[in-house]
Amino acid sequence: MKARVHISLKNGVLDPQGKAISNSLHGLGFESVLDVRQGKTIELDLTDMNKETAETEIDKMCQQLLANTVIENYSIELID
Amino acid sequence: MKARVHISLKNGVLDPQGKAISNSLHGLGFESVLDVRQGKTIELDLTDMNKETAETEIDKMCQQLLANTVIENYSIELID
Amino acid sequence: MNEITKDIVAEHGLTEGEYEEVLSILGRTPNLTELGIFSVMWSEHCSYKSSKKWLKTLPTEAPWVICGPGENAGVIDIGDGQAVIFKMESHNHPSFIEPYQGAATGVGGIMRDVFTMGARPIANMNALRFGSADHPKTRHLLAGVVAGIGGYGNCMGVPTVGGETNFHSSYDGNILVNAMTVGVADTDNIFYSAAAGVGNPVVYVGSKTGRDGIHGATMASAEFDDDSDEKRPTVQVGDPFTEKLLLEACLELMATDAIVAIQDMGAAGLTSSSFEMADKGGVGIELNLDLVPVREEAMTPYEIMLSESQERMLMVLKPGREEESRKIFEKWELDFSVIGKVTDTGRMVLTMHGGTVADLPVAPLADAAPEYDRPWVKTETPPVLRAEDVDAPGDLGQVLLKIMGSSEIASRKWIWEQYDHMVMGDTIQRPGGDAAVVRIHNTDKALAITTDCTPRYCFADPKTGGAQAVAEVWRNLTATGAQPLAITDCLNFGNPERPDIMGQFVGCIEGMREACETLDFPVISGNVSLYNETNGQGIHPTPAIGGVGLLKDTSKMATLAFKDEGDLVLLLGTQTGDMGQSIYLREIEGREEGAPPIVNLSDERKNGDFLRQIIGLGIVTAAHDISDGGLAVALSEMALSGNMGAEITLSSKLPLHATLFAEDQGCYVITISPENCDDVLKKAKNADVSLQRIGTIGHNELNIAGALTISIDMLRQEHANWMPNLMASQSRK
Amino acid sequence: MKASVIVFPGSNCDRDLKVALTASMDTEPDMVWHGDSDLPETDLIAIPGGFSYGDYLRCGAMAANSPIMREIVKKAQNGTPVVAICNGFQIATETGMLPGALLRNADQSFVCKDVDLLVTSENNRFVGAFQQGQVIRFPVAHHDGNYFADPKTLDELEGEGQVALKYAMQSGDLTDEANPNGSLNNIAGIYNKAGNVLGLMPHPERLISDALGGTDGKRFFDNLVNSIA
Ligand SMILES: Nc1ncnc2c1ncn2[C@@H]1O[C@H](COP(=O)(O)OP(=O)(O)O)[C@@H](O)[C@H]1O
Ligand SMILES: [Mg+2]
């Protein structure tokens, strides 16, 4: 089965990448840009298992490795 | 208005990060992991405009800066 | 099995004549895999078919040369059982298409060339050429290339200690990214690529094989056109982390005696590595492609043989040593697979899914590679521009400031600060000097390393330009006190099928040869990159030269920084004042004209040997050669580096603007403490070299009598800010 | 005295650290491979710079999960001194041994150069060679040294004297110009609460002789060794 983990910086954590991107976009003349935040997506290909097991399993992965909960939030999306 | 750009490596393009993450997950005992690919999400906060304009505008941003179209695919998601 | 049509042959970059040759070698039509193998083996990139004839004329021998061109890299002896192994290689086309990954994989490739021979890389260099600074693509390409070189080298933990960077419109459509790696090995533990020992296992190690860069090798030999963006999918992605593991694993295995032969998989991946190993050893090889570790589903034999996936090596092991070797690579979490064996058939036999997918004779394919004597015409030698032919400017101070802040002269700090140039703890002369100096770990010996080439000279007069490139390398090494030992080259040119371009190539080689001979400076490795041309516009001929010198005692190293207030400034060498092709002419008069400065190789030798001798005596407090921008720029660079000014009085009969800005060759500026002056002048007389006092250092401004007075701070602003300002303005891809 | 240098796949300042420690201890430290789950007896743990696991995902994230790091966290809790340099600092924050996180440099690019550092603490073990308020020089070489912590943590660090070093001008002024990576409060290095763990982005092991351009690093390690031995 497939799953996607979305990782984004918590509010209040400054986002150097996002800031740099927004500067560049302004530099390129995209005036409409107010703010940019950059996040990560991690696509997992897993052996088949039921949704509950998957969710707990992936949550463990996030807690242990995929996300740094000091600065990041994460959300899990199961794609059948 | 808000929009999200999802950027992922084209199929077949080596993903060193994904590879390292999946090795590390195995090391932590997550046997169920078959494959991992890492992607980027860029969240844009834009001045209000109609959907069409937004789409074309963001597409320009992707072409010119956000995505490295040599090795990456991107998709645009408008969130009201 | 696709049948081979004219079109397929053409797509594979083989001429009809070459295809005839294929048919007569095989006595049958090749299948697609075999055709692919021929096409990469016979591509310009792998076969050197246009350049071979001329490369043979370069001097490659000296008592200290252990291994010249032909192996993965050249090897020289530096005494105490130690050898230095180095090479420079181009990754031009890939870097233009995807600057970050193109440059990164270029660095990865050249490092593999060096550690595959048993050396631990101790320094990286990079020679870069970009389009004019205001070309819309330049900033994007520069930013990406520098980030890519740093991204790979920094992760490997090998310091990037120097290089060179030029900007000129002739590179607008074809940038040049030449990377050099220098490594150190024990003379009794150097590894070569000749396969041997019938029955010995052939082993694949490193990353898995994917569909990366298929036809990269043929692409790297194809002229660009506007739709070259279509060639994009052939770009590979580098994985420096895996290469770091591969480096450590290889060196660990090399400490045992399990390896018979080893060869990295570079351009044309498994094909060229296996053929080169078999050909060099005069043996055959049998490979079972089912055993090749692959990253993707359903890869065809064609794809497996032509893939340019990075971070892979091919080895021949002694029989029975597989298991201990496997353990090492598995410890480093790398793939290890015995994929075949050495045979006595002289044929390359590839099997997959139980069938034979290719069966080719090794020698004919490798040796019968086409070799062309391309027609060429000599470049017209332009007229010499004397000082009188160039108007004197109103304000020499303003001129100097403008030149210090020009694209060619301005500081490259913005670049080298993105490179880890200190890791490994032996960088004793950082970027910013004439050559970088890197200590041989745990010794008092050090290597001086530089890369140089002045393409505008080569374009105006290929022979003089070729000689000048070699001479400037020799000079930059000498200026640190090092004994120049050998060079590697990276010959970047346009389309060799054009006689004028071929003439540039022939001329540069001739000049290089003369310089190498006079200076005892053999070529021990190199690389040729042709077809650097877009829509018929070729690049300036660019024979980038990388040189290595030996400093026997690190305490005797010279640097260019002014040091002690009151030291005397002396000019070593004679000035002609010729202004052709000078930065002055280009920046102030907007002209790129005339003959380049004369390169007098015997004076070059005499002056350099004299300087090295007095540096060795410990009486030189600073030394810097005169190059781009002339004497005034050399003095400014010494002042900036030492953050100290100087009072200069010039007694030359030449007009001031010529004395200050002519780019006379074979000249150096040195400083010594006053009490040594008479002695040094006497030594110069005896050595029959021209040495004259021109001033004294001190205070915080550069004062040149009758010409200019500028504060160090103003000089620094112009010099330091140009590149940061350029890169601060946003560029689009 | 015995010291241990921890080696991960991708570490690349391990040799430099070994050289620096050896010069100050006149005995070689143990080089400990990440796979070994138990440390040798040791009076000092040094986590070197580099790109452990390629710095993929997040710098230090994968190394932080290696068996050896669990050991090190325990040892640190029992008071064993730990010096974590550059990638080591990133690993230490990922394990939670040190608060905060190291983000991508503000200007997005890798930076390698000497920086001036204001000594902002008086922890004799680690900075005893220097006076508080003194400006010293170490090189930096990193892509992700932009120190971040939430305001509360930041106040604690400043309040409890847990900030070891700050990027400064030669004058000692804490300006943006002196800050190579955008770190909050110009923070270059911090201690844990107990003061036995130091994490810093700059590389003292790179300036240990005049030949290399300076000796502040030598003084740093000499003092560290003396204070322990
Ligand atoms: N791409 C680069 N990477 C690292 N260092 C560079 C690069 N380009 C130039 N440099 C450094 O800038 C200094 C000046 O370069 P250059 O003008 O070519 O010196 P020279 O005139 O002595 O050959 C040298 O120390 C060189 O190593
Ligand atoms: Mg020079």
Side-chain angles (χ1 to χ4, degrees):
Chain A
M1 73 186 298
K2 295 196 178 304
R4 214 178 274 130
V5 178
H6 300 280
I7 299 168
S8 59
L9 287 169
K10 290 182 171 167
N11 297 336
V13 177
L14 54 88
D15 173 8
Q17 269 118 326
K19 192 152 163 294
I21 294 172
S22 109
N23 292 342
S24 303
L25 287 171
H26 289 150
L28 289 172
F30 292 102
E31 306 303 346
S32 57
V33 177
L34 300 174
D35 185 33
V36 180
R37 306 277 290 172
Q38 177 168 325
K40 279 190 218 119
T41 319
I42 291 166
E43 304 200 347
L44 298 164
D45 198 344
L46 304 166
T47 53
D48 289 336
M49 59 181 83
N50 66 51
K51 286 200 167 349
E52 293 63 38
T53 340
E55 300 231 324
T56 41
E57 190 77 349
I58 297 172
D59 193 73
K60 275 213 222 91
M61 297 181 199
C62 293
Q63 289 289 342
Q64 279 192 48
L65 179 70
L66 300 184
N68 175 350
T69 49
V70 176
I71 48 170
E72 295 172 325
N73 297 320
Y74 62 90
S75 67
I76 298 166
E77 172 190 7
L78 296 181
I79 315 159
D80 61 86
Chain B
M1 76 186 296
K2 292 196 180 305
R4 213 179 275 127
V5 177
H6 301 278
I7 298 167
S8 60
L9 284 170
K10 289 181 176 169
N11 288 337
V13 174
L14 174 68
D15 178 6
Q17 305 228 41
K19 183 171 137 234
I21 294 168
S22 95
N23 290 346
S24 178
L25 285 171
H26 290 152
L28 292 172
F30 293 103
E31 307 302 349
S32 57
V33 176
L34 300 173
D35 187 33
V36 179
R37 306 275 289 174
Q38 176 165 331
K40 260 187 275 173
T41 321
I42 293 169
E43 304 201 346
L44 297 165
D45 199 341
L46 303 167
T47 53
D48 288 337
M49 58 182 89
N50 68 51
K51 282 203 173 344
E52 294 62 40
T53 338
E55 298 232 326
T56 41
E57 191 75 352
I58 297 173
D59 193 72
K60 277 214 220 88
M61 299 183 198
C62 292
Q63 290 289 342
Q64 286 183 28
L65 183 78
L66 301 182
N68 177 354
T69 50
V70 179
I71 51 176
E72 294 173 330
N73 294 323
Y74 63 90
S75 66
I76 299 168
E77 175 191 2
L78 298 181
I79 315 160
D80 61 87
Chain C
M1 182 53 71
N2 322 40
E3 66 135 321
I4 305 303
T5 65
K6 266 190 155 35
D7 296 351
I8 294 182
V9 172
E11 274 170 38
H12 282 76
L14 291 170
T15 66
E16 283 179 13
E18 289 167 354
Y19 187 60
E20 288 308 313
E21 184 65 29
V22 170
L23 295 178
S24 73
I25 286 173
L26 288 186
R28 59 175 168 84
T29 36
N31 64 37
L32 188 64
T33 304
E34 294 169 329
L35 182 72
I37 289 172
F38 270 98
S39 79
V40 292
M41 289 297 291
W42 286 6
S43 69
E44 190 66 62
H45 189 86
C46 296
S47 72
Y48 292 86
K49 54 192 170 193
S50 304
S51 55
K52 236 190 241 157
K53 174 178 195 291
W54 301 101
L55 293 177
K56 290 183 194 142
T57 66
L58 291 169
T60 59
E61 282 166 10
W64 54 89
V65 174
I66 294 175
C67 170
E71 278 292 333
N72 287 295
V75 186
I76 54 177
D77 192 332
I78 55 163
D80 310 310
Q82 287 174 313
V84 173
I85 301 182
F86 65 94
K87 183 172 194 277
M88 172 152 51
E89 196 151 73
S90 66
H91 228 215
N92 303 338
H93 291 58
S95 302
F96 183 77
I97 292 164
E98 210 302 280
Y100 185 99
Q101 294 298 341
T105 51
V107 171
I110 191 61
M111 279 198 271
R112 280 195 298 287
D113 272 329
V114 165
F115 72 76
T116 196
M117 297 195 72
R120 177 174 288 279
I122 64 163
N124 286 332
M125 302 283 288
N126 61 117
L128 309 178
R129 267 89 195 178
F130 298 97
S132 58
D134 48 21
H135 186 279
K137 268 190 174 225
T138 295
R139 281 164 298 159
H140 163 67
L141 291 169
L142 172 56
V145 164
V146 169
I149 290 170
Y152 209 104
N154 298 346
C155 183
M156 286 292 289
V158 176
T160 302
V161 294
E164 58 182 332
T165 311
N166 295 139
F167 298 86
H168 189 274
S169 55
S170 78
Y171 305 103
D172 284 352
N174 296 81
I175 63 170
L176 303 182
V177 175
N178 298 168
M180 173 179 174
T181 295
V182 180
V184 171
D186 293 338
T187 46
D188 60 4
N189 203 36
I190 293 165
F191 294 81
Y192 298 95
S193 56
V198 173
N200 282 351
V202 175
V203 179
Y204 171 118
V205 297
S207 290
K208 289 183 166 46
T209 296
R211 295 190 171 91
D212 311 284
I214 289 174
H215 265 169
T218 41
M219 158 182 139
S221 313
E223 195 177 321
F224 265 23
D225 45 42
D226 286 329
D227 72 351
S228 55
D229 292 7
E230 294 320 305
K231 301 198 177 86
R232 280 176 163 183
T234 63
V235 170
Q236 322 100 13
V237 169
D239 180 358
F241 172 56
T242 297
E243 176 126 320
K244 167 71 171 165
L245 302 182
L246 187 62
L247 164 66
E248 299 303 335
C250 286
L251 292 180
E252 195 171 324
L253 180 59
M254 285 164 167
T256 74
D257 65 345
I259 299 175
V260 175
I262 177 166
Q263 163 79 41
D264 66 296
M265 296 192 217
L270 190 50
T271 294
S272 59
S273 52
S274 55
F275 271 89
E276 274 168 40
M277 293 181 86
D279 185 49
K280 287 218 179 79
V283 297
I285 284 181
E286 229 172 74
L287 298 179
N288 177 352
L289 301 187
D290 295 316
L291 301 174
V292 172
V294 291
R295 201 174 75 225
E296 293 174 69
E297 315 266 293
M299 287 188 68
T300 65
Y302 179 94
E303 292 170 325
I304 291 173
M305 290 308 290
L306 269 55
S307 163
E308 292 191 346
S309 294
Q310 302 290 299
E311 295 93 23
R312 304 177 300 162
M313 296 268 195
L314 198 62
M315 309 186 292
V316 175
L317 294 179
K318 291 182 181 165
R321 310 295 293 271
E322 297 87 335
E323 282 324 300
E324 71 184 276
S325 309
R326 179 189 304 277
K327 276 201 187 59
I328 291 173
F329 282 83
E330 282 173 355
K331 166 190 165 193
W332 291 99
E333 298 174 15
L334 294 165
D335 276 287
F336 177 103
S337 174
V338 177
I339 61 171
K341 61 177 199 292
V342 177
T343 67
D344 60 5
T345 63
R347 297 186 75 83
M348 182 68 54
V349 180
L350 311 176
T351 59
M352 196 171 180
H353 309 320
T356 298
V357 295
D359 183 347
L360 300 166
V362 173
L365 206 154
D367 312 340
E371 177 172 341
Y372 297 127
D373 182 357
R374 303 231 185 245
W376 59 278
V377 294
K378 185 170 178 305
T379 309
E380 293 293 330
T381 323
V384 172
L385 284 189
R386 310 235 171 263
E388 313 81 74
D389 306 329
V390 180
D391 307 342
D395 181 336
L396 286 158
Q398 285 310 312
V399 167
L400 177 57
L401 286 173
K402 181 149 190 241
I403 288 178
M404 289 303 286
S406 67
S407 67
E408 294 305 275
I409 305 296
S411 171
R412 276 41 176 153
K413 190 154 163 281
W414 183 90
I415 295 175
W416 76 63
E417 280 188 351
Q418 293 184 57
Y419 301 150
D420 189 335
H421 49 269
M422 306 179 208
V423 64
M424 294 184 88
D426 285 310
T427 305
I428 59 174
Q429 191 163 157
R430 299 180 186 180
D434 285 321
V437 181
V438 178
R439 200 166 44 190
I440 308 282
H441 198 58
N442 283 333
T443 73
D444 296 326
K445 294 191 300 186
L447 300 178
I449 310 167
T450 183
T451 72
D452 292 285
C453 174
T454 315
R456 63 183 189 277
Y457 295 173
C458 297
F459 182 66
D461 180 347
K463 186 176 171 211
T464 302
Q468 192 274 343
V470 173
E472 186 173 352
V473 165
W474 191 84
R475 199 182 306 148
N476 278 323
L477 299 176
T478 294
T480 68
Q483 177 65 52
L485 291 178
I487 61 172
T488 181
D489 63 53
C490 195
L491 307 175
N492 309 273
F493 290 80
N495 180 352
E497 294 159 39
R498 283 174 40 189
D500 55 327
I501 301 286
M502 202 57 210
Q504 296 174 340
F505 187 83
V506 173
C508 286
I509 294 267
E510 195 184 351
M512 287 169 57
R513 180 179 52 76
E514 286 187 5
C516 290
E517 279 167 358
T518 315
L519 302 173
D520 276 315
F521 210 22
V523 177
I524 61 161
S525 62
N527 166 254
V528 177
S529 170
L530 301 175
Y531 298 95
N532 293 288
E533 188 151 323
T534 302
N535 302 333
Q537 213 251 8
I539 58 165
H540 274 180
T542 311
I545 308 294
V548 173
L550 178 64
L551 197 62
K552 285 214 175 64
D553 174 358
T554 53
S555 69
K556 296 284 170 59
M557 176 178 76
T559 70
L560 54 67
F562 283 156
K563 296 179 188 62
D564 303 319
E565 195 115 23
D567 276 3
L568 304 179
V569 185
L570 292 84
L571 172 62
L572 170 59
T574 35
Q575 292 186 294
T576 66
D578 296 348
M579 302 289 281
Q581 299 301 329
S582 62
I583 293 294
Y584 175 92
L585 202 64
R586 166 172 157 184
E587 294 298 324
I588 306 304
E589 302 235 316
R591 298 194 276 156
E592 300 182 30
E593 294 170 14
I598 299 155
V599 177
N600 178 327
L601 291 166
S602 54
D603 286 358
E604 184 78 57
R605 172 93 193 226
K606 215 165 43 171
N607 296 348
D609 288 346
F610 174 75
L611 174 59
R612 201 177 309 107
Q613 178 215 337
I614 58 176
I615 291 174
L617 295 173
I619 47 183
V620 175
T621 50
H624 184 27
D625 72 312
I626 294 181
S627 60
D628 288 335
L631 174 63
V633 166
L635 289 166
S636 303
E637 288 168 343
M638 297 173 85
L640 287 176
S641 174
N643 199 22
M644 185 182 295
E647 294 269 343
I648 304 295
T649 311
L650 297 163
S651 58
S652 166
K653 284 165 224 59
L654 297 162
L656 266 172
H657 66 286
T659 324
L660 292 180
F661 300 110
E663 295 169 6
D664 283 297
Q665 299 296 299
C667 299
Y668 304 81
V669 176
I670 66 173
T671 66
I672 58 175
S673 86
E675 69 265 24
N676 295 323
C677 188
D678 298 346
D679 174 36
V680 172
L681 288 170
K682 192 167 333 101
K683 284 192 166 62
K685 209 164 182 7
N686 300 339
D688 182 34
V689 300
S690 156
L691 183 68
Q692 42 169 320
R693 264 179 80 158
I694 59 170
T696 311
I697 67 174
H699 314 300
N700 54 10
E701 51 187 32
L702 178 62
N703 176 304
I704 299 175
L708 54 86
T709 303
I710 306 176
S711 74
I712 303 301
D713 292 346
M714 278 174 76
L715 283 171
R716 174 166 287 108
Q717 271 186 16
E718 292 302 317
H719 190 242
N721 294 345
W722 180 80
M723 196 175 279
N725 291 345
L726 174 72
M727 299 311 290
S729 46
Q730 184 52 45
S731 72
R732 52 164 44 73
K733 285 191 277 180
Chain D
M1 135 173 203
K2 289 170 82 14
S4 302
V5 174
I6 314 303
V7 185
F8 296 99
S11 295
N12 64 29
C13 300
D14 44 326
R15 189 186 79 176
D16 303 358
L17 199 46
K18 175 184 176 180
V19 168
L21 282 167
T22 307
S24 295
M25 302 194 305
D26 349 283
T27 64
E28 292 194 354
D30 294 316
M31 305 303 281
V32 183
W33 182 242
H34 73 111
D36 317 351
S37 62
D38 46 21
L39 275 167
E41 262 319 303
T42 188
D43 311 304
L44 171 70
I45 296 166
I47 312 177
F51 288 66
S52 57
Y53 299 90
D55 274 357
Y56 297 143
L57 186 61
R58 289 185 315 280
C59 302
M62 299 186 202
N65 282 286
S66 61
I68 195 82
M69 282 313 298
R70 285 183 216 109
E71 271 298 296
I72 291 170
V73 171
K74 276 207 221 82
K75 285 260 197 326
Q77 278 156 356
N78 303 334
T80 306
V82 178
V83 59
I85 301 170
C86 199
N87 192 228
F89 187 12
Q90 295 161 338
I91 295 167
T93 56
E94 282 281 340
T95 59
M97 269 199 283
L98 292 170
L102 292 142
L103 308 174
R104 178 56 40 111
N105 294 351
D107 74 356
Q108 300 303 294
S109 40
F110 188 97
V111 59
C112 176
K113 63 179 181 185
D114 288 351
V115 295
D116 293 313
L117 298 160
L118 181 69
V119 179
T120 51
S121 70
E122 42 197 5
N123 177 314
N124 283 326
R125 182 189 283 128
F126 290 112
V127 295
F130 315 110
Q131 307 299 323
Q132 187 168 5
Q134 184 180 347
V135 174
I136 62 173
R137 172 167 294 194
F138 296 154
V140 290
H142 59 253
H143 208 161
D144 301 79
N146 184 347
Y147 185 76
F148 171 86
D150 59 66
K152 186 169 152 299
T153 311
L154 215 50
D155 292 344
E156 275 173 28
L157 288 173
E158 296 279 7
E160 307 297 316
Q162 283 176 254
V163 178
L165 299 164
K166 289 188 174 187
Y167 302 108
M169 307 296 285
Q170 268 174 26
S171 61
D173 298 347
L174 303 172
T175 62
D176 288 349
E177 188 190 348
N179 187 341
N181 51 32
S183 292
L184 292 176
N185 298 15
N186 285 40
I187 288 175
I190 58 170
Y191 307 109
N192 63 342
K193 271 204 164 44
N196 67 312
V197 178
L198 167 66
L200 71 170
M201 287 314 295
H203 288 271
E205 78 279 11
R206 290 187 179 196
L207 279 184
I208 56 169
S209 70
D210 292 320
L212 294 174
T215 55
D216 285 347
K218 183 76 167 65
R219 299 168 63 199
F220 172 89
F221 284 107
D222 285 346
N223 168 76
L224 180 59
V225 168
N226 295 334
S227 70
I228 291 169

